[in-house]
Amino acid sequence: MPELHFPWIECSILLPLVGAAWVWMLRDRERALTHAIFFCLATLLLTLGECADFLWMETFEAHDHWAFFRWVIPPDVLVIDELSAFQLPLASLIHLVVVSSTLRTKTRTFSLESTLVSQSLLLAIFSCRASWALVALLIVSTIPPYMELRRRRQCTRIYCLHMATFAALLLVGYGWLSIADRSGSSVLVPGAMLTVAALLRSGVFPLHLWMTDVFNKASLGTAILNTTPLVGAYAVMRLVLPIAPSWALQSIAVLSLVTAVYAAAMALIQVDARRMFCFLLLSQSSLVLVGLELVTPIGLTGALCLWLSVAMSMTGFGITLRSVEARLSRISLASFHGLYSQMPILAGFFLLTGLASIGFPATVGFVGMELLIEGAVEVYPLVGTLVVVATALCGITVLQTYFRIFTGVDNRSSISMKARPAERFAVLLLTLLLLGGGLYPQPGISSRYHAAKELTRIRGEISGKSPTPVTTVAQQEGLNPET
Amino acid sequence: MNQQELFVQVLGAIAVASPVVLLAVLGLTQLLNRPLSELWIVRLNQLGVVLSLFATTLVLAVMLITGERNLPIEFGNWVTIPEQAFHFHLKFVFDRLSIPFMMLSCVLCGVVGEFTRRYLHREEGFARFFLFYAIFFDGMVWSSLAGTIETLFVGWEMVGLSSALLIAYFHDRESPVRNGQRVWVIYRLSDAALLIAAITMHHMVGEGDFGGLMNSSIWPDGSVSVSSSQALLVGALLLIGAAGKSALFPFSGWLPRAMEGPTPSSAIFYGALSVHLGAYLLLRLSPLLEASVALQGLVLGLGAVSAVSGALMSRVQNDVKTSLAFASLTQVGIIVVEIGLGLRYLALIHIMGHAILRTMQLLRAPTLIRDYQDLENKIGTPLSPNSGTALGWLPKPFQRWCFRFGYERGFMDTVLQRWLVDPFVRTFRWCEGWEQLITSSLSRSEKADSEINHANAANDSPSDLPTAA
C-alpha cells in the first residue's frame, strides 16, 4: 500500500488527545477555550495536509509513513482512502467551528476535554479500515456523550438502552461474521445485525429516540458534534455495504426514505427548536443513507456529496441556533422572537445554512440532492419521489424556524447581542465552503464519483462478483423507458 | 466560432452575469457587515438592470439583422459525470419567447427599482429589500432565458425564495411573516412537482434540454417525441408547478396574503412577473400540451376556473391591492386558456400588456384616493359610483352565493386547511405524543419533557446576558 509523506493520520488523532490533557491541566477556563481552539485548528491543518498529500498521490488508499505505533497497530488499520479523505478535514472543521463559536460563559457546561477526546475518536473512526478496530472505536465513541449526560445529572436510560443494543449488535454481528462462511447465505443474519446496529446509530425510525433524548438533555454543542458527522452512515459504508446483497440494501433504503419523510414532517410541527433541529438533521441524514443504500453509482455519488453538504450545513445551522440559545436560553418555536435587528449576521447565516441543508440552488448540496433524487427515482420510480417530498417539507421547516426566531416582533435589547469575532469567523468559514462548493461543484462531484466507483468495485471484489452496474427494481419491472 | 457568434456569446454572458454580480456584491457586503449607502445600492441595481437590458437588446438586433430565430448561449456543463450520462447543462436561449419576457423583466425591474428608491428611502430595511430584489431579478433572468429545465428550476427557486422573504419584509409584525410563510409552503409543494417533472423528463428523453424535448424545433413550432400518457404525466406535474407559482385554482388563496409586502414588490411579483411565470412555463413547453388532449383539457379547465373565480373575488374585495391581485388572476387564467387553445403569440402579447398595465396600477394604488380627487377636480363633478354589474340578471340566491364565494376567496384556504393541513398536523402531533410517552416511560422520568426543557434552560442561560424574548 502506498505511504503518505508524513504520519498525518497518527498525528491528527494524537494531537486532540494531547490537547485534551493540556486543556484539562489549565485552571483558567477562558485560556482553556483559547487553547482548545488552537488544538482544533492545528488538527484541521493536519487533516487538510493529509487530504492534500493523499490527493497528490492519486491513489485509492494510503497509510502513514514513519508511523510511531507500527509496533502496536498493524499498518493496514489506520488508512486514508477516497471515502475518508474528505471526511477527516470535515470532522476537524466541525469541531473547530463548534469549539470556536462557544461562548466563554458556556465553558462550564460544555466540556472542552471531552470534546477533544471525541474529536480524536472520530478521526480514528474515519481513518480506520480494520473492522475489529472500527467496531471497538464505534463502541468507545458512545462514552463521551454518556459522561456528559451523567455530569449534567440527566437520566441516561434511553441513551444507555440504545447504545448498549448498538454495541451488542456490533459485537455479536462482527463476531458471527468473522467465523461465518462469507460466500454463502450464512452472512445474512450477522449482516442484518450489523445493519440494524448502523441504522440505530444513524437514528432510523423507530430507533431514533436516543437522538431526540441527547438533544434534549445534553448540551447542544455535544449533540451537534455527536450527530452531524454522520458516523452511522460511515458504519454502513464500512461494515454493511461490502457484504450486504443489493436487494437487501435497496429494501433498507425504503426504510430510510420513510424516516426521511417522517422526520421532515415531525420537524415541521415541533415547538422546541432543539427537537426541530434534531428531526431536520435526522431527515437529511436519512436521505444520505437512502443514497448509500441504493448502491448505484449515481445514488452513491449523490449520497457522498450530500454527506459533506449535510454535515457542513447542519453544523452551521446548529451553531447558529446554539449562539442564539446562548443569548436567550432554550428557544420555543411557539412564539416569535424577532431577533433580526439584534443579530443580522447570525440571521443571514441561519437562513443560508438552512437553505444549504435542503440543497437550495447555488449551495453545496444542490447537485448532490439532484443526483440523489435521480438515483432514487432510477431504482424506485414512484417511491423515489418521496425524496422530493422530504426536501420540500424540510424547506418549509427551515423558513418557518427562521421566521419564528428572527422576525415577527420588534425585539430590542439595551445590550449588544451581535455575533462575536470567533462566531463570525466560524460563520464566514462555513459560508465560504457552502457557497464555494455550490458555485463550483465539479471537482467535488468528480472526486465523490470516483470514490463511489471504487467502493462499488471493492464491493464487487469482496462478494466475488464483477463490478457490473446494479440492476434496479425499475429495470427489472421494465418501468424505465431508458432501458 | 466566428466573430458574430462570439459577439452574441459575450452579450448573452453579460445579460446573465450582470444580475449574478449584482447579487454577489449586495450579498457579500451584507454578510461581511459592510453596508453600502442607499445611493450605491441604487446605482448598482441600475447598472445590473441596464447591462442586462442593453445586452438583450443587442442580441435582438443581431437576430433581426441576421434573421436568426434561436441563439443558444452555452456555458457548458456545470457538472458532468460522462460515464453515467449525467450532466447539469448551463444553457440559455434567446428566441421569440425568451427575448420579450427578458426585456419585460428588465424594464419592469428597472422601473420598480426606481420607484422603490423613493418609496423606501431611509427605511431600515432598504438594503435588505434590494438584496431580495436582486435574488428575484436573478431568478427572473435565469427563468426567462433557461434552455434546460434544470436552469429554469434554479431561477424558479430563487423567485420563490425572494417572494416569501419580501412578503415578510415588514418583519417586526406577525401578520406579514405568517403570510410569507404561507406563500412559501405553497411554493415549496408546487416546486416539488416541478422537480419531479424535471426528473421524469430526464428519464423520458435522456436530457433536460427544451430543444431536445421539442425535437430541436424552434419556439413556437415543435413537436414532442413522447407518448400521450407520458406527456400527460409530465404536463400534469408541470401544471401543478405553474398553478402554484401563478396562484391558479386551487392555490389562489395565497395571492391576497402576498399583498402584505411593500407595494413595489407586490407590483413586480403579483402584478407583473412572478404571477406570469407559471404561464411562461406552460408557453415554453406548449408543444408538450399538444401531445395529449387530456392535458389540453386540464389546462383549459384550470385556466377557465381560475379566471372565473378571480373575477368573482376581485369584485368583492375591500382593499385595492387585493382587488388588483385577483384581477391579475383573472387575466392569468385567460392567458392559460389561450395557451390551452394553442394561441401562443396571443398569450405572449397578453402577458406583456397585462404585466405593464398591472404594474402601473399597483404602483399607483397607494395614491388611488388622491388620483380620484384629481380626476374629479379636473372634470369638475364627482365620479358616478358603479351602478350595476353584469351579474345583475342572475337569480338573487346565486348572486349571494357568488358574493360569498368571492368574499371567502373561493373557500380555497378553508378547504386546504381542513383537508390537508389539519389532518397532517393532527397525525404528526399524535406521533409526537406517542414519542413523548415512550420517552418518558423509558426514562422513568417523573418530570415531563417541558419541565426538563425548562430546567435545562435555567442551567444554560448565561448570567451576563439579557433574556430578550
Side-chain angles (χ1 to χ4, degrees):
Chain A
M1 188 186 294
E3 287 187 341
L4 297 167
H5 296 90
F6 183 79
W8 302 105
I9 305 176
E10 288 187 355
C11 285
S12 61
I13 294 169
L14 282 176
L15 188 64
L17 280 181
V18 172
W22 179 262
V23 166
W24 179 71
M25 285 189 291
L26 293 174
R27 292 278 173 204
D28 181 355
R29 296 320 290 168
E30 285 192 25
R31 270 184 70 204
L33 179 61
T34 314
H35 288 212
I37 293 172
F38 167 77
F39 279 106
C40 287
L41 186 62
T43 310
L44 173 65
L45 292 175
L46 280 173
T47 49
L48 282 173
E50 183 180 346
C51 181
D53 193 1
F54 173 76
L55 293 176
W56 185 63
M57 291 171 71
E58 293 185 352
T59 177
F60 177 69
E61 55 189 8
H63 64 83
D64 267 351
H65 191 50
W66 313 313
F68 317 131
F69 297 105
R70 188 171 289 178
W71 55 279
V72 184
I73 306 171
D76 288 348
V77 171
L78 294 178
V79 171
I80 178 172
D81 64 8
E82 287 210 53
L83 173 65
S84 61
F86 286 91
Q87 307 299 340
L88 292 164
L90 179 69
S92 306
L93 177 72
I94 289 172
H95 279 79
L96 173 65
V97 294
V98 170
V99 172
S100 64
S101 64
T102 303
L103 289 182
R104 288 190 296 271
T105 49
K106 287 291 172 188
T107 48
R108 283 181 300 111
T109 50
F110 179 68
S111 167
L112 295 167
E113 298 86 345
S114 172
T115 303
L116 287 165
V117 171
S118 296
Q119 181 177 13
S120 179
L121 282 171
L122 186 63
L123 291 175
I125 287 171
F126 282 155
S127 306
C128 186
R129 270 282 296 279
S131 300
W132 60 269
L134 183 60
V135 167
L137 285 166
L138 283 169
I139 293 170
V140 173
S141 70
T142 60
I143 296 172
Y146 169 78
M147 300 295 282
E148 178 167 320
L149 290 176
R150 295 286 296 174
R151 209 168 39 244
R152 290 167 72 94
R153 293 178 192 161
Q154 298 287 353
C155 175
T156 56
R157 285 176 65 95
I158 292 179
Y159 185 78
C160 288
L161 191 65
H162 282 83
M163 290 306 133
T165 314
F166 166 68
L169 285 169
L170 269 186
L171 287 172
V172 175
Y174 181 70
W176 191 334
L177 192 69
S178 51
I179 55 169
D181 173 21
R182 293 208 176 192
S183 58
S185 59
S186 53
V187 297
L188 280 180
V189 178
M193 285 177 154
L194 290 175
T195 307
V196 175
L199 294 180
L200 196 153
R201 185 69 177 80
S202 306
V204 164
F205 177 82
L207 307 171
H208 64 284
L209 292 180
W210 71 270
M211 268 179 79
T212 49
D213 194 55
V214 165
F215 271 92
N216 196 29
K217 292 171 181 165
S219 69
L220 188 51
T222 302
I224 291 169
L225 290 174
N226 201 41
T227 49
T228 54
L230 309 190
V231 175
Y234 190 78
V236 170
M237 292 301 289
R238 289 289 186 224
L239 299 174
V240 181
L241 196 75
I243 56 163
S246 298
W247 61 265
L249 282 169
Q250 289 178 351
S251 308
I252 300 164
V254 177
L255 189 62
S256 301
L257 203 48
V258 170
T259 306
V261 177
Y262 174 78
M266 288 294 277
L268 195 50
I269 58 136
Q270 295 303 315
V271 288
D272 177 47
R274 280 196 185 192
R275 276 182 75 85
M276 178 283 302
F277 178 81
C278 175
F279 279 112
L280 196 64
L281 174 65
L282 194 52
S283 176
Q284 297 299 313
S285 59
S286 300
L287 288 180
V288 174
L289 280 179
V290 170
L292 297 179
E293 290 154 356
L294 291 173
V295 269
T296 60
I298 285 278
L300 259 178
T301 310
L304 294 178
C305 293
L306 203 61
W307 189 341
L308 300 178
S309 151
V310 167
M312 269 194 291
S313 54
M314 289 308 291
T315 302
F317 198 67
I319 62 168
T320 324
L321 191 61
R322 184 168 172 250
S323 296
V324 177
E325 264 198 10
R327 289 158 170 81
L328 294 176
S329 83
R330 288 285 275 266
I331 303 284
S332 162
L333 300 177
S335 57
F336 290 91
H337 300 279
L339 295 172
Y340 182 91
S341 56
Q342 300 184 52
M343 39 182 91
I345 292 183
L346 286 179
F349 185 66
F350 189 85
L351 188 58
L352 179 73
T353 48
L355 292 173
S357 72
I358 57 161
F360 197 79
T363 61
V364 70
F366 178 57
V367 178
M369 190 61 86
E370 289 268 318
L371 282 164
L372 183 67
I373 295 169
E374 184 103 11
V377 172
E378 192 184 345
V379 177
Y380 296 108
L382 291 175
V383 183
T385 54
L386 284 178
V387 175
V388 183
V389 175
T391 316
L393 292 174
C394 288
I396 296 168
T397 306
V398 165
L399 206 68
Q400 175 174 277
T401 312
Y402 168 79
F403 283 147
R404 291 281 162 161
I405 296 177
F406 294 102
T407 68
V409 287
D410 189 17
N411 186 350
R412 289 171 199 273
S413 81
S414 54
I415 297 172
S416 172
M417 287 194 180
K418 287 181 178 159
R420 289 169 46 245
E423 287 173 309
R424 278 209 294 272
F425 161 75
V427 159
L428 287 174
L429 186 64
L430 281 174
T431 304
L432 201 69
L433 290 168
L434 291 173
L435 291 178
L439 295 172
Y440 187 49
Q442 184 63 47
I445 298 290
S446 299
S447 133
R448 295 301 79 196
Y449 175 64
H450 198 253
K453 233 173 40 174
E454 286 296 318
L455 289 165
T456 316
R457 183 182 62 79
I458 290 169
R459 182 178 143 75
E461 282 173 6
I462 289 174
S463 59
K465 294 172 198 163
S466 62
T468 47
V470 179
T471 310
T472 65
V473 173
Q475 284 165 339
Q476 287 163 8
E477 292 172 2
L479 292 174
N480 189 346
E482 276 187 308
T483 55
Chain B
M1 188 183 288
N2 61 32
Q3 279 191 334
Q4 183 204 313
E5 282 173 342
L6 184 67
F7 182 59
V8 171
Q9 290 287 327
V10 170
L11 290 176
I14 291 172
V16 174
S18 60
V20 178
V21 174
L22 172 69
L23 175 59
V25 173
L26 295 182
L28 279 176
T29 50
Q30 292 210 29
L31 202 62
L32 297 172
N33 205 17
R34 297 279 181 274
L36 295 170
S37 68
E38 281 193 13
L39 186 68
W40 267 101
I41 291 171
V42 170
R43 288 278 178 270
L44 284 170
N45 187 58
Q46 286 168 343
L47 187 68
V49 171
V50 167
L51 272 178
S52 266
L53 182 61
F54 184 65
T56 311
T57 313
L58 282 181
V59 173
L60 175 64
V62 171
M63 287 172 76
L64 289 173
I65 292 165
T66 59
E68 287 277 354
R69 282 176 56 193
N70 185 297
L71 287 176
I73 307 293
E74 298 274 0
F75 286 93
N77 285 321
W78 190 34
V79 181
T80 179
I81 306 176
E83 290 173 42
Q84 298 296 320
F86 176 88
H87 54 263
F88 195 110
H89 196 183
L90 269 188
K91 181 184 173 187
F92 298 92
V93 173
F94 287 89
D95 64 6
R96 291 183 181 192
L97 176 63
S98 64
I99 285 191
F101 204 70
M102 172 72 182
M103 291 177 81
L104 179 75
S105 302
C106 289
V107 168
L108 291 182
C109 282
V111 168
V112 172
E114 277 306 289
F115 180 86
T116 313
R117 176 187 174 180
R118 287 172 181 80
Y119 189 82
L120 293 181
H121 178 51
R122 292 194 178 173
E123 278 269 345
E124 201 179 6
F126 188 90
R128 185 161 44 90
F129 179 92
F130 273 95
L131 175 65
F132 299 155
Y133 196 64
I135 299 175
F136 168 72
F137 181 45
D138 235 355
M140 281 310 300
V141 169
W142 280 56
S143 304
S144 309
L145 296 178
T148 64
I149 197 156
E150 296 92 356
T151 319
L152 184 131
F153 183 73
V154 171
W156 194 270
E157 288 277 89
M158 291 170 98
V159 170
L161 177 69
S162 56
S163 177
L165 291 172
L166 278 171
I167 291 165
Y169 172 79
F170 297 112
H171 61 194
D172 49 358
R173 286 190 286 119
E174 211 173 298
S175 169
V177 172
R178 283 186 185 279
N179 288 328
Q181 174 67 21
R182 183 70 78 111
V183 174
W184 178 246
V185 172
I186 301 288
Y187 276 175
R188 285 305 295 175
L189 296 178
S190 55
D191 289 357
L194 179 67
L195 187 56
I196 296 169
I199 301 284
T200 313
M201 201 172 119
H202 251 283
H203 277 251
M204 277 177 356
V205 292
E207 58 182 338
D209 197 318
F210 293 136
L213 182 70
M214 309 301 167
N215 288 329
S216 302
S217 303
I218 295 169
W219 192 89
D221 307 321
S223 59
V224 290
S225 53
V226 295
S227 68
S228 171
S229 57
Q230 286 176 329
L232 179 61
L233 174 67
V234 176
L237 288 167
L238 289 171
L239 201 55
I240 295 172
K245 192 64 91 190
S246 288
L248 298 176
F249 188 85
F251 301 118
S252 318
W254 67 256
L255 205 51
R257 295 175 185 280
M259 292 300 147
E260 285 271 12
T263 297
S265 69
S266 303
I268 196 82
F269 278 90
Y270 316 110
L273 298 176
S274 175
V275 79
H276 288 117
L277 208 50
Y280 178 80
L281 174 69
L282 295 179
L283 214 47
R284 170 61 71 196
L285 293 167
S286 47
L288 189 74
L289 307 184
E290 286 176 2
S292 164
V293 179
L295 183 59
Q296 267 182 317
L298 269 178
V299 172
L300 283 171
L302 189 70
V305 171
S306 301
V308 171
S309 57
L312 288 175
M313 290 185 275
S314 71
R315 276 163 171 73
V316 294
Q317 298 306 315
N318 52 14
D319 77 280
V320 64
K321 277 173 76 178
T322 309
S323 182
L324 284 172
F326 281 123
S328 288
L329 174 63
T330 309
Q331 294 304 315
V332 175
I334 295 169
I335 290 166
V336 171
V337 170
E338 288 162 3
I339 295 168
L341 292 172
L343 306 169
R344 293 169 197 168
Y345 280 120
L346 179 64
L348 179 59
I349 293 165
H350 195 161
I351 286 176
M352 297 186 70
H354 175 239
I356 292 168
L357 171 76
R358 205 62 78 188
T359 304
M360 196 272 285
Q361 283 183 330
L362 276 162
L363 291 182
R364 299 297 301 179
T367 56
L368 185 74
I369 295 173
R370 205 184 130 194
D371 288 349
Y372 268 102
Q373 285 170 346
D374 276 353
L375 198 60
E376 286 176 345
N377 284 341
K378 278 172 186 154
I379 61 175
T381 174
L383 290 165
S384 57
N386 196 359
S387 55
T389 66
L391 298 177
W393 52 271
L394 289 170
K396 284 285 175 201
F398 188 65
Q399 280 188 35
R400 273 199 295 277
W401 183 87
C402 285
F403 177 82
R404 197 158 164 234
F405 179 86
Y407 192 74
E408 297 286 343
R409 293 156 185 179
F411 310 107
M412 281 176 266
D413 270 4
T414 315
V415 169
L416 288 176
Q417 182 74 31
R418 188 172 296 171
W419 296 103
L420 212 65
V421 179
D422 287 348
F424 176 89
V425 172
R426 264 202 306 274
T427 306
F428 287 99
R429 289 235 165 104
W430 180 81
C431 295
E432 171 79 354
W434 269 102
E435 280 201 8
Q436 300 270 10
L437 193 69
I438 294 167
T439 305
S440 52
S441 61
L442 277 178
S443 62
R444 284 191 189 167
S445 169
E446 288 178 8
K447 293 180 200 170
D449 253 9
S450 56
E451 287 175 89
I452 292 170
N453 293 346
H454 185 73
N456 281 339
N459 285 336
D460 289 350
S461 61
S463 54
D464 56 345
L465 287 169
T467 305

